[in-house]
Amino acid sequence: MSALAGKTAIVTGASRGIGRGIAERLARDGALVAVHYGRSEAAARETVRAIEEAGGRAFAVHAELEEPDAVDTFYAALDAGLAERGAGPGFDILVNNAAASGSGRIHELTGEVFDRLFAINVKAPLFLVQRGLDRLSDGGRIVNISSAATKRAFPESVTYVMTKGAVDTMTPALAKELAPRGITVNSVAPGYVATDMNAHRRTTPEASAALAAHSVLNRLGTPADIADVVAFLVSDDARWITGQCVDVSGGYKL
């Protein structure tokens, strides 16, 4: 039997990159996956199509997480999608992957960018958990996507790193709070992964090689590298792990 058979999983920001990799992996393990997207409906539909063609089950959920009513919009769309499939309204797994980047250095920062990054990267995952607690199964799993950049000085994107630092402190707090229900809460911290988010850093072979050199394994990560670790954390094999941040950076700057 598949490891996640009978489970329902939510993956935010799942239309591309790491989120898509996670959604595809959890579907392959047997979960019904809610593929959340913010702006790219076509990309989300493509992720759903790929999952279904591989024999999995998935549906798209739309909500722009920077909006004030984002959580209401999200759960309304989730409920509708689950009802169409004769499931829900509960779920078993929440992967808070959606994130915005691009804050720049301190002298480049604007209040608008600061507010947007904290709304998407911090406020949305926190309130998705809060509003989802009466839906999340006892013994459920929450995985937050952090960043290896929080372990080193990263002035190139100061606000982005601040948001991921907030994720790192939120994770153990939620783990302790939700432990009586058997819910585990962990985070994973990728390094440089070959996705659209850092495509502007990989415009030449030399630039890609420079990013790869941050890993002692001397390559960029792939979405599958991250998805495999998330799949472990949401499985029963990880039942005794909670409140932890798992580094999945290929040895970032060791």
Side-chain angles (χ1 to χ4, degrees):
M1 181 179 292
S2 299
L4 300 180
K7 305 288 188 181
T8 297
I10 298 167
V11 183
T12 65
S15 64
R16 60 182 184 170
I18 291 173
R20 175 171 175 165
I22 294 169
E24 291 180 343
R25 173 59 197 267
L26 300 190
R28 190 162 69 246
D29 285 355
L32 168 63
V33 181
V35 174
H36 162 263
Y37 70 98
R39 296 180 178 174
S40 181
E41 180 179 4
R45 300 294 180 191
E46 172 59 24
T47 300
V48 170
R49 185 194 63 78
I51 288 171
E52 292 177 338
E53 287 187 353
R57 298 179 302 145
F59 62 95
V61 173
H62 175 248
E64 295 191 22
L65 296 182
E66 68 267 38
E67 297 298 327
D69 59 351
V71 175
D72 290 336
T73 301
F74 177 91
Y75 279 116
L78 177 69
D79 288 347
L82 289 172
E84 287 177 7
R85 288 150 186 84
F91 60 90
D92 307 282
I93 296 162
L94 171 61
V95 181
N96 282 311
N97 166 77
S101 64
S103 64
R105 295 178 178 272
I106 184 64
H107 60 276
E108 300 168 319
L109 180 62
T110 67
E112 291 78 12
V113 170
F114 181 94
D115 290 344
R116 179 171 183 267
L117 264 62
F118 267 88
I120 296 172
N121 300 5
V122 181
K123 182 180 179 181
L126 180 63
F127 282 91
L128 285 173
V129 171
Q130 183 204 52
R131 292 284 299 281
L133 286 179
D134 60 347
R135 305 161 181 260
L136 180 60
S137 302
D138 290 350
R141 301 283 188 264
I142 299 172
V143 178
N144 302 315
I145 306 302
S146 179
S147 172
T150 63
K151 307 301 188 293
R152 299 288 188 274
F154 197 74
E156 297 93 328
S157 193
V158 59
T159 305
Y160 173 77
V161 176
M162 290 171 64
T163 66
K164 292 305 184 179
V167 168
D168 285 348
T169 55
M170 176 177 72
T171 296
L174 293 177
K176 188 169 184 177
E177 183 77 18
L178 302 181
R181 293 180 54 192
I183 297 169
T184 67
V185 187
N186 294 288
S187 64
V188 299
Y192 285 113
V193 180
T195 65
D196 291 347
M197 182 176 281
N198 58 44
H200 65 288
R201 297 175 180 270
R202 298 182 285 111
T203 54
T204 67
E206 293 77 14
S208 292
L211 292 184
H214 286 286
S215 162
V216 295
L217 300 177
N218 199 34
R219 70 169 175 85
L220 291 171
T222 68
D225 291 328
I226 316 306
D228 289 348
V229 176
V230 173
F232 166 69
L233 289 173
V234 303
S235 75
D236 189 58
D237 289 343
R239 61 193 174 275
W240 202 233
I241 301 174
T242 194
Q244 305 304 306
C245 181
V246 181
D247 185 289
V248 283
S249 69
Y252 175 74
K253 292 189 175 182
L254 287 179

